Amino acid sequence: MNAIIEILPQLLRGLQITVSVLLASAIIAYIVAFIAGLARASKNTILNKIAGVYIEIFRGTSLIVQLFWLYYAIPMLFGIQLGSNWWTGVIAIGLNYGAYLAEVVRGSILAVDKGQTEASIALNMSSYQRMRLIILPQAVRMMLPEVGNYTIQMMKATSLVSLIGMRDILYYGDIMRSTNLAQAPLVYVVVLLMYFILALPFIWLTRKGETLSKKGVASQ
Amino acid sequence: MSSNFRWETFVEAFPLVLQGLGLTVGLTFACFGFALLFGFVWIFLRRIPNKPIVWICTWVMEFIRSTPPLVQLFFLYYAWPVVPVVGVTLEPFTCAVLGIGIHYSTYIGEIYRSGIEGVDKGQWEASTALNFSNADKWKKIILPQAIPPTIPMLGNYFIIMFKEVPLASVIGVGGILFMANSYGASHFAYLEPLTIVGIIFLALSYPSSILIRKLEVKMNTRFDKNAVLSKSKMKTIQGMNLEGSDRIV
Amino acid sequence: MSETLVKDKKSSILLNSEPIVKYRDVTKSFGDVHVLKGINLDIHPGEKIAVIGPSGSGKTTIIRMLMTLEEPSSGDIIVNGTNLWKMDKKGLSIRANEKHLRDVRGDIGMVFQHFNLFPHMTILENCMSAPIHVKKENKEEVRERSIKMLDRVGLGDKLEFYPSQLSGGQKQRVAMARALVMRPKIMLFDEVTSALDPELVGEVLEVIRDIAKNDDMAMVLVTHEMDFALDVADKVLFLDQGVIAEQGAARDVLEHTENERVQAFLKRFRRG
Ligand SMILES: Nc1ncnc2c1ncn2[C@@H]1O[C@H](COP(=O)(O)OP(=O)(O)OP(=O)(O)O)[C@@H](O)[C@H]1O
Ligand SMILES: [Mg+2]
């Protein structure tokens, strides 16, 4: 017990980085996914192709590779320092999961029953009104469980930023392990528990989302 | 460190990085195989007719699935050896197989479950009515129907795990990412070898995912109802990394 | 007898006016399948037309083309004097864009076999959304009108219900109210009772009958309810293999036809 009291405050120092990386990369992922998903569901071939290339590249390679690549590439290719590795981590995680979520967005849009489109045409809605008032509200409900899932994946992925020197929960855990190896099991168990607690709201969202997503939706 | 992308470096690094491919692919197979086996353990435990055991199992799976595999790897590599009584030192490769394998076994277990639950209730009743033994019931009736629809999903997980195994480079397993990083460290040029790693991943995983999509379509026409049913169930499984979007029209 | 007289008189008046919709040599193919083979049809203001015919004869396709849900392969559909699927651009007649379609289809409403209510909206919101967003009408006025309309179809006490909380018959009545609130001049009905349990068919037909008798919009009803068609329709079309094989006053087609295909078709129905 004493040991935990000793460990916990140390690890909590990393909480801010873990949470801020998660929030920022989640926001980026959602926005990117929304845009790319809409592009994928649209009939515009150019937009569709561009989004398709983005999605395949980021899903086809692994996140840890993207992270390292961006870590070296951003300063080199663009000649800019983003100011911190924080941005590198956020961009890598955001773009990677943005690609996965884009497919979720596309899938949900296409899964809305065709009859909904037909009814809105019969009510003389424009294609923009149709998307905004009828299709998206239903598609978003359908997305909820998968958004919960992928947010958990993103939360897990934030641990990678410790590899590029960000001082997140895992970073402080590693420091403590290297100073006192005997404590390592306890340290990592507490680290895992902290991540699990962070995941709980999203686990809840995922389960809740499953019931919620079936309500108010006409799916095919 | 060189200040821009150089093709000479790219060409020089390529064969070196490629040397790691065998290990990366081997590790993928090992992790996947282990996950396939361990997935059965979850299924088995969860079928024990004892509420607390099932409950504990469910939450242990949830725990493993919802925490970073990187931390789990570190735990196995650094902490497990000093755990009193049961602790042993593990080779990096073994460690990676256990760590990544167990992590993904929690997903694989759910796939098995969806396959079994996808089998029509009537099939169970029919096999009981025909007086099959318990073993025969599984072997001849349930599994032959439960397994085929899960094959594309398992294939998807193979690809997902392929992209996850470079993680093992952090505990010193020498796959392509490891090779790229060590080339980078000795030549002070990271971008080129890392680009090579990206290209190798893309070159292998993109065609395989297309292959799996084809397989999926084929399965869905062959095992029509079953596959569609379990597919829709699969979509709701926690933590799924599958593309929920390749709809069967 | 007197009712028939009134009806006949009414239709003769109607026929003297300019048609609100004209189909001219309209065909439709899906790939190699020629579903409609040259449809010519006039719909006059206020006219009630029943479309009958065997399954797969193209009944649904006819009205879906008017609702812009399906594009004809050839021929013209003229609505209020404007070509629905073609528009002018620098003197050339080109394929209509969305804006043109929206301009022309504004007077048309449709009720579907499977209701297609918006599941994420209450039934009141279902009725209000289009007048507010499409016609930019005053919200309070639309609300009042929607409530009145839902009252008329017998659902005035369920305004805040969601479609999932209603029976099929109730859903279909909401769908009709939703279409009516847009004040269309032409209403299309595609087998609106065939997805319903038999005991719920009556309540929906009752509402349509009420609309047909009291409102002066034109109606095109694809239906398998022959008695109902006889009751509300001025004109009946018999569609067979993509052509209008018989048309005329409801009583003539449904009771005194000499066309053998029609007789066979009706006979099957009377028995079933
Ligand atoms: N989108 C489509 N693609 C291909 N074929 C179609 C399509 N829509 C309709 N068809 C075909 O066109 C023919 C006519 O269809 P339609 O729905 O108009 O018939 P219907 O008279 O309404 O039949 P029912 O009484 O069964 O509703 C059918 O053979 C149908 O299979
Ligand atoms: Mg039809």
Side-chain angles (χ1 to χ4, degrees), chain C residues 2-271:
Chain C
S2 64
E3 202 191 315
T4 321
L5 263 178
V6 172
K7 210 162 139 189
D8 286 345
K9 212 169 106 203
K10 194 170 132 214
S11 25
S12 65
I13 295 167
L14 291 171
L15 290 174
N16 288 333
S17 60
E18 180 65 12
I20 186 169
V21 174
K22 292 186 272 193
Y23 286 69
R24 289 294 175 264
D25 301 320
V26 175
T27 72
K28 176 70 187 173
S29 319
F30 292 104
D32 292 342
V33 190
H34 303 293
V35 174
L36 292 175
K37 305 160 190 162
I39 299 295
N40 285 288
L41 170 66
D42 287 350
I43 303 172
H44 295 265
E47 195 177 15
K48 322 292 183 215
I49 300 177
V51 182
I52 61 170
S55 181
S57 56
K59 307 182 293 294
T60 299
T61 309
I62 286 195
I63 60 174
R64 282 172 62 85
M65 289 189 304
L66 181 53
M67 193 66 262
T68 72
L69 298 173
E70 216 81 73
E71 187 171 355
S73 305
S74 70
D76 297 305
I77 301 177
I78 317 289
V79 180
N80 282 327
T82 313
N83 198 324
L84 177 59
W85 283 100
K86 288 176 191 145
M87 60 181 206
D88 263 0
K89 194 181 175 190
K90 294 175 192 151
L92 287 173
S93 166
I94 62 166
R95 189 169 172 227
N97 61 15
E98 197 200 5
K99 182 177 177 306
H100 178 87
L101 291 177
R102 287 191 73 205
D103 289 343
V104 184
R105 75 183 175 211
D107 284 338
I108 309 170
M110 181 162 176
V111 183
F112 298 86
Q113 190 173 357
H114 296 286
F115 332 129
N116 296 346
L117 293 181
F118 304 133
H120 58 299
M121 299 180 182
T122 64
I123 65 173
L124 183 57
E125 289 164 349
N126 261 278
C127 294
M128 290 172 61
S129 77
I132 290 173
H133 292 105
V134 176
K135 292 180 125 182
K136 317 279 183 218
E137 289 183 70
N138 175 284
K139 195 169 172 181
E140 273 318 303
E141 197 196 316
V142 171
R143 165 187 286 275
E144 232 166 78
R145 202 163 84 219
S146 302
I147 294 175
K148 231 181 252 161
M149 201 57 83
L150 284 167
D151 239 348
R152 182 176 173 192
V153 300
L155 291 164
D157 57 337
K158 300 211 158 45
L159 303 176
E160 300 304 321
F161 279 49
Y162 283 88
S164 59
Q165 296 167 294
L166 302 181
S167 74
Q170 290 171 328
K171 282 184 201 164
Q172 199 56 297
R173 286 185 275 147
V174 175
M176 273 185 259
R178 181 176 71 175
L180 287 169
V181 174
M182 288 292 275
R183 297 183 165 139
K185 297 211 177 78
I186 312 152
M187 275 270 270
L188 311 174
F189 297 79
D190 187 10
E191 296 192 36
V192 294
T193 57
S194 60
L196 300 176
D197 291 339
E199 72 269 22
L200 301 177
V201 169
E203 64 188 55
V204 171
L205 293 184
E206 206 40 61
V207 172
I208 303 178
R209 203 172 269 131
D210 169 52
I211 302 168
K213 299 266 139 99
N214 297 308
D215 292 26
D216 54 8
M217 66 194 146
M219 292 166 68
V220 181
L221 306 119
V222 174
T223 184
H224 287 306
E225 307 279 341
M226 297 306 153
D227 295 334
F228 174 72
L230 189 61
D231 186 17
V232 301
D234 306 310
K235 183 160 101 180
V236 171
L237 301 184
F238 176 74
L239 212 62
D240 191 23
Q241 295 173 8
V243 294
I244 299 176
E246 172 93 353
Q247 61 178 313
R251 199 157 294 270
D252 293 344
V253 176
L254 293 172
E255 292 189 338
H256 311 298
T257 183
E258 308 206 320
N259 184 319
E260 282 173 21
R261 295 278 303 178
V262 186
Q263 282 173 352
F265 173 76
L266 290 173
K267 207 159 143 199
R268 220 160 356 119
F269 258 90
R270 292 276 144 75
R271 251 188 289 140

Side-chain angles (χ1 to χ4, degrees), chain A residues 11-70:
Chain A
L11 294 179
L12 282 174
R13 290 165 68 194
L15 189 64
Q16 193 220 334
I17 292 292
T18 297
V19 171
S20 67
V21 169
L22 172 60
L23 287 181
S25 50
I27 290 170
I28 290 183
Y30 298 158
I31 294 172
V32 168
F34 193 73
I35 297 168
L38 277 177
R40 283 294 275 167
S42 84
K43 290 192 194 92
N44 184 321
T45 24
I46 297 169
L47 284 181
N48 204 312
K49 282 263 152 53
I50 293 173
V53 168
Y54 154 68
I55 290 169
E56 292 305 344
I57 285 181
F58 276 87
R59 293 195 332 166
T61 54
S62 87
L63 174 59
I64 188 174
V65 178
Q66 290 158 22
L67 181 72
F68 284 155
W69 194 88
L70 284 174

Side-chain angles (χ1 to χ4, degrees), chain A residues 100-172:
Chain A
Y100 283 97
L101 281 166
E103 288 294 84
V104 174
V105 172
R106 165 177 164 264
S108 310
I109 288 173
L110 296 181
V112 174
D113 184 44
K114 289 274 175 294
Q116 296 291 305
T117 303
E118 297 188 348
S120 32
I121 291 175
L123 292 167
N124 208 12
M125 289 184 186
S126 67
S127 46
Y128 171 73
Q129 289 168 336
R130 198 154 75 215
M131 193 45 97
R132 184 170 63 92
L133 300 170
I134 309 301
I135 308 294
L136 275 182
Q138 296 183 55
V140 166
R141 282 177 175 78
M142 276 191 260
M143 286 172 211
L144 282 181
E146 298 238 47
V147 169
N149 284 336
Y150 279 111
T151 310
I152 295 173
Q153 303 288 343
M154 274 188 261
M155 194 275 304
K156 296 196 293 188
T158 61
S159 65
L160 294 176
V161 299
S162 68
L163 300 177
I164 55 168
M166 289 306 295
R167 305 183 166 194
D168 69 341
I169 297 176
L170 180 57
Y171 174 86
Y172 285 104

Side-chain angles (χ1 to χ4, degrees), chain A residues 59-60 62 69 149 207 210, chain B residues 62 65 163 195 205 236 239:
Chain A
R59 293 195 332 166
S62 87
W69 194 88
N149 284 336
R207 295 191 169 173
E210 268 159 38
Chain B
E62 193 76 80
R65 193 159 47 201
K163 287 178 282 185
T195 305
S205 72
T236 62

Side-chain angles (χ1 to χ4, degrees), chain B residues 9-27:
Chain B
T9 315
F10 184 91
V11 173
E12 187 193 57
F14 202 95
L16 286 164
V17 173
L18 208 57
Q19 276 176 16
L21 185 58
L23 192 51
T24 297
V25 172
L27 183 57

